Amino acid sequence: MAQLWGGRFTKETDKLVYQFNASISFDKKMYRQDIKGSKAHVAMLGKQGILTKEEMEQITKELDAILADVESGKLSITDEYEDIHSFVEANLIDRLGAVGKKLHTGRSRNDQVALDMRLYTREEVKETDELLKKLLETILRLMKENTETIMPGFTHLQKAQPITLAHHMGAYFEMFKRDRQRLFDIYERMNYCPLGSGALAGTTYPLDREYTAELLEFYGPTLNSMDGVSDRDYLIEFLSASATIMMHLSRFCEEVILWNSNEYQFVEIDDAYSTGSSIMPQKKNPDIAELVRGKTGRVYGALLSLFTTMKGIPLAYNKDMQEDKELTFDAMDTVKGCLALFEGMLATMKFNEDVMRKSANHGFTNATDAADYLVNHGMPFRDAHGVIGQVVLFCIDKGIAIDDMKLEELKQFSDVFEEDIYEAISMETCVNKRLTIGAPGKAAMELVIQKEEAYLKANPGIGTNA
Ligand code: ARG
């Protein structure tokens, strides 16, 4: 047990207490951030004359060596240390002796861990954004390819009106676009540096917090040292944005599962993204989509967990906050994994255009347009709704679509019907007459596609946005 404290103690820590208290098994993930933060801290101590130039250089060089040794596997992060901060400092002291002991001058593990977690999360925000962008590119490709691919649109999971696959995909484009915007907002708010907050009340050393903030590419230092060490809002915001991403992925997965079912057959998931059954030879299951849908729960859980952890903590740092890591790391990995796998599944999925079109044809998805036809010929809408309702009943009885009825049959319900009814209720007409912005009509869709394309160009990634 290598501990950073001991002077005040006359007894060894109980072994179980030590294990219960330790965080190395999970915070070792932050070794890069911890070393990066220490290097910035030391550079600042040197600039301020708190360390000599020589001490600064020695420590910096050794921190780089520790990093290199960890990365090459020469030095492994073992649980004889309490946390990643102790690990780095103890190794530095082993290598440098007295000079190594100066690293922690003017710093507390409280501002250190606050910094490490922020640096770690900032990277995660960027990586998640990149994966979202990749997914948006695939969705946009499908939109471009399918402005004429007719399918039924649903409400209550009942066929409602015809739309196109481009339109359906476009709905998800909007959702994931908002998810990116949320990440961008979070980044803007969180990108301030807590280093220099000390344990809670800053320090008496003349630290230059602006300088460390700049070295670590933050917009500036945080403005209250108590908040600096105890703010975890950015994690809650990131988990909330992550939960929303998962909710969107889960809805999409639910549709893919339905569409891939024997009953729908709208799509076929690629073999590479499907699984078989150990007993039923005929099976090809959508396990990946189901897993993404299922994993949504873990991410929601992480959000609720941290909300609950934070709600009763008096200022400033309390050990409860160590609980901000395990579930958050799990959520971060889960979201990234799900985004990558979902994108791959979507990009390779086969759409059965004929089946989708037939389904639209045979679900009275043009009933609204048939009623509109009557309205356009002078009938009040409520009456038209009634007439078409009767027409639909007639068709259900015969097992046919409205389009299959002869003109004489239609005329029995209303003499307003003429030969042009067939054109008016064709799937193409139903879709392409819907031309308000946001509607599925081809011309409207093409305009939206242009806008989405421009959005992607203007937003290549967090930190690089035009
Ligand atoms: N492992 C701790 C955490 O994750 C580091 C900070 C410890 N600070 C302290 N005063 N005990 O929160």
Side-chain angles (χ1 to χ4, degrees):
M1 300 197 273
Q3 287 176 164
L4 295 175
W5 34 275
R8 186 200 187 286
F9 289 74
T10 54
K11 257 189 176 175
E12 282 268 311
T13 320
D14 177 88
K15 198 156 175 283
L16 279 179
V17 170
Y18 181 82
Q19 283 167 2
F20 188 70
N21 195 46
S23 53
I24 187 100
S25 64
F26 47 89
D27 67 17
K28 64 180 169 196
K29 251 175 148 32
M30 307 193 298
Y31 71 89
R32 252 187 243 112
Q33 290 73 19
D34 197 73
I35 291 172
K36 185 176 176 165
S38 287
K39 280 177 66 182
H41 181 62
V42 163
M44 182 274 297
L45 292 177
K47 180 177 98 58
Q48 297 300 91
I50 302 165
L51 293 183
T52 66
K53 188 162 177 275
E54 205 187 18
E55 289 168 337
M56 171 188 97
E57 282 170 0
Q58 263 182 299
I59 298 177
T60 304
K61 197 168 144 236
E62 220 43 58
L63 285 171
D64 281 334
I66 291 172
L67 177 64
D69 288 352
V70 170
E71 306 247 84
S72 72
K74 209 166 125 193
L75 176 63
S76 44
I77 306 176
T78 57
D79 48 13
E80 68 189 284
Y81 304 92
E82 182 190 330
D83 55 27
I84 189 61
H85 326 298
S86 323
F87 167 83
V88 173
E89 190 177 335
N91 271 278
L92 191 74
I93 294 170
D94 280 352
R95 290 165 185 228
L96 284 183
V99 176
K101 293 185 181 172
K102 296 192 175 186
L103 166 68
H104 211 50
T105 313
R107 191 176 65 170
S108 157
R109 271 189 301 165
N110 298 350
D111 60 344
Q112 190 177 357
V113 76
L115 171 67
D116 291 4
M117 199 59 184
R118 247 182 231 240
L119 288 172
Y120 191 94
T121 305
R122 197 172 66 172
E123 277 315 300
E124 290 297 315
V125 171
K126 284 190 193 171
E127 282 174 28
T128 308
D129 180 65
E130 268 167 44
L131 288 162
L132 278 169
K133 189 186 169 213
K134 187 148 187 253
L135 176 57
L136 284 179
E137 283 163 356
T138 297
I139 295 175
L140 189 63
R141 172 176 66 75
L142 290 170
M143 288 167 73
K144 284 188 197 157
E145 289 170 4
N146 290 289
T147 53
E148 294 179 13
T149 309
I150 286 172
M151 66 181 287
F154 298 83
T155 63
H156 313 273
L157 211 51
Q158 306 277 324
K159 291 177 199 178
Q161 291 173 345
I163 54 166
T164 63
L165 183 55
H167 191 237
H168 202 114
M169 290 294 133
Y172 285 104
F173 192 101
E174 287 293 288
M175 291 180 231
F176 293 119
K177 182 169 81 179
R178 287 194 296 273
D179 287 334
R180 286 191 82 202
Q181 290 162 346
R182 265 183 278 277
L183 292 182
F184 181 79
D185 293 346
I186 292 167
Y187 185 91
E188 290 296 300
R189 229 178 343 270
M190 73 172 283
N191 198 25
Y192 292 88
C193 186
L195 187 62
S197 296
L200 76 161
T203 81
T204 54
Y205 297 96
L207 305 186
D208 184 345
R209 294 195 58 211
E210 254 90 21
Y211 184 64
T212 36
E214 194 188 312
L215 286 180
L216 294 166
E217 293 169 64
F218 285 103
Y219 295 148
T222 53
L223 295 186
N224 181 289
S225 58
M226 295 230 272
D227 181 56
V229 292
S230 65
D231 167 31
R232 299 294 183 271
D233 290 3
Y234 66 97
L235 290 179
I236 290 176
E237 287 191 43
F238 184 49
L239 287 173
S240 168
S242 299
T244 309
I245 293 169
M246 290 304 294
M247 180 267 291
H248 291 152
L249 282 176
S250 186
R251 290 183 76 177
F252 210 158
C253 282
E254 173 68 17
E255 297 205 308
V256 168
I257 293 162
L258 281 172
W259 292 353
N260 188 65
S261 69
N262 303 137
E263 312 307 322
Y264 275 75
Q265 296 183 24
F266 283 9
V267 302
E268 190 176 337
I269 299 175
D270 194 74
D271 276 5
Y273 287 87
S274 306
T275 47
S277 157
S278 62
I279 172 169
M280 298 166 282
Q282 84 282 13
K283 292 277 255 176
K284 202 178 134 185
N285 295 329
D287 284 27
I288 299 310
E290 289 168 15
L291 266 176
V292 172
R293 189 177 60 182
K295 282 176 190 289
T296 304
R298 306 160 68 126
V299 179
Y300 288 6
L303 171 63
L304 251 295
S305 165
L306 190 56
F307 257 136
T308 312
T309 296
M310 293 304 295
K311 85 177 180 61
I313 303 184
L315 291 177
Y317 179 85
N318 292 257
K319 194 66 173 236
D320 318 40
M321 288 176 182
Q322 183 166 286
E323 285 297 308
D324 67 356
K325 292 181 196 64
E326 275 168 291
L327 294 183
T328 303
F329 289 152
D330 180 74
M332 288 166 167
D333 293 344
T334 301
V335 174
K336 284 194 299 181
C338 289
L339 278 169
L341 275 158
F342 186 88
E343 190 276 328
M345 180 176 71
L346 183 67
T348 52
M349 206 158 76
K350 196 174 138 271
F351 291 90
N352 296 329
E353 296 182 16
D354 292 352
V355 179
M356 292 195 294
R357 196 195 160 91
K358 250 189 222 132
S359 168
N361 270 332
H362 290 280
F364 302 107
T365 57
N366 53 3
T368 313
D369 294 76
D372 287 345
Y373 171 90
L374 296 175
V375 171
N376 288 334
H377 288 75
M379 192 183 288
F381 180 76
R382 196 46 61 208
D383 293 340
H385 187 285
V387 169
I388 301 301
Q390 288 171 342
V391 167
V392 167
L393 205 57
F394 174 87
C395 288
I396 291 172
D397 192 47
K398 296 230 139 73
I400 56 171
I402 302 175
D403 322 51
D404 297 331
M405 287 174 70
K406 295 195 188 75
L407 187 57
E408 304 86 77
E409 290 172 319
L410 282 164
K411 276 188 177 294
Q412 283 169 15
F413 293 92
S414 164
D415 54 15
V416 174
F417 287 117
E418 293 301 339
E419 197 54 49
D420 60 352
I421 177 65
Y422 298 105
E423 168 70 22
I425 62 169
S426 80
M427 290 293 121
E428 273 70 19
T429 310
C430 292
V431 166
N432 289 326
K433 278 217 161 150
R434 290 181 156 75
L435 287 173
T436 46
I437 193 80
K442 191 171 182 214
M445 233 17 257
E446 276 167 354
L447 207 70
V448 166
I449 287 171
Q450 272 175 27
K451 283 181 192 290
E452 307 292 35
E453 218 159 25
Y455 154 78
L456 279 179
K457 235 182 232 132
N459 295 276
I462 290 174
T464 56
N465 281 3

